[in-house]
Every structure is written in structure tokens, then in C-alpha cells.
Amino acid sequence: MSELTRIPAPDGVAPAAQYAHVVMGTGRFVAVAGQVALDEHGDLVGEGDPAAQAERIFENLRRCLAAAGATFDDVVKLTYFVTDTAHLPAIREARAAHIPADRLPASSAVRVAGLVRPEFLMEIEAFAVVGEA
């Protein structure tokens, strides 16, 4: 695990309750492609249900991070692509199950007209920094 430094609000920047403005670390960079709510068989989880989709996406992220020798503790940036900003509370709830409030990464939320398949309500990508062994 990398030793990460979080700067919630640099001087002159308004504080944010849902993310840190800056997260820094040294180590090995890990990029996890945008994950959608597909299970290990490629079947959609939670059609029309933002909470179920968010939970599955965070499970997929956890598995991808583990494959790279990382955990959510190593995540420095999350990007949320949502078809409706009304899905953000479901994402925050799923995130809270994996990332404590005092370890929030930098984050961006982008409302999109659509994703690769119309039944996907959201897609989430992650960047992590894993400390040197």
C-alpha cells in the first residue's frame, strides 16, 4: 500500500464534502478501466436499479484492484460516468461501503447522454498508486 497524502481543500479552493481535491502518492500507478454492472458471466446486475448497479461496479473495481495488488486504500482518483445525476447518491452509498470518509480519493462526476449499452446507468473508473514493496 502506498502512503497517500490527501489535501481536501488547497488554499483558495472551496472545500468539497464528497472528495479530496488533491491526492498524492509514490509507487506503482494502476489504471482500472471503467467498470459497468456486469457479473463474471457478462450478465447485467440490477437492470434499472442504480443501487444494485453501483454495488456490482464497486465489487468489480475491488476485484480489478486486487488483480493489480491494490486495494481501495490505494485509490487516488475515481471518475463516475452517469446517465442521470440522480444516481450519485447510490454511488456514494456503495463507495462508503468500500472507502471510509477520511480516505476519499479525488473524484469527478460526468453526466453522459448514454453508455455503451442503454441498460447501463453508470460506469466508474479508478486510478491507484501502490507503494513500493
Side-chain angles (χ1 to χ4, degrees), residues 53-124:
Q53 287 199 20
E55 288 171 17
R56 182 61 205 200
I57 289 169
F58 272 90
E59 175 58 18
N60 289 350
L61 288 169
R62 184 193 67 74
R63 291 171 185 238
C64 291
L65 290 164
T71 71
F72 281 107
D73 286 342
D74 302 308
V75 172
V76 296
K77 175 81 163 60
L78 292 171
T79 305
Y80 313 108
F81 301 94
V82 295
T83 57
D84 188 332
T85 55
H87 303 326
L88 290 172
I91 290 171
R92 289 183 189 121
E93 186 173 329
R95 181 192 65 197
H98 296 276
I99 304 173
D102 66 340
R103 292 182 169 229
L104 292 176
S107 299
S108 297
V110 182
R111 187 174 56 111
V112 296
L115 294 163
V116 68
R117 288 179 23 193
E119 61 269 29
F120 296 149
L121 303 177
M122 62 195 69
E123 180 174 326
I124 304 172

Side-chain angles (χ1 to χ4, degrees), residues 4-5 11-12 16 19 30 58 89 98 104 108 112 114 117 125 129:
L4 300 178
T5 301
D11 289 343
Y19 58 91
V30 176
F58 272 90
H98 296 276
L104 292 176
S108 297
V112 296
R117 288 179 23 193
E125 68 181 11
V129 176

Side-chain angles (χ1 to χ4, degrees), residues 17-29:
Q18 299 298 329
Y19 58 91
H21 279 286
V22 179
V23 181
M24 301 176 296
T26 52
R28 185 171 40 87
F29 179 76

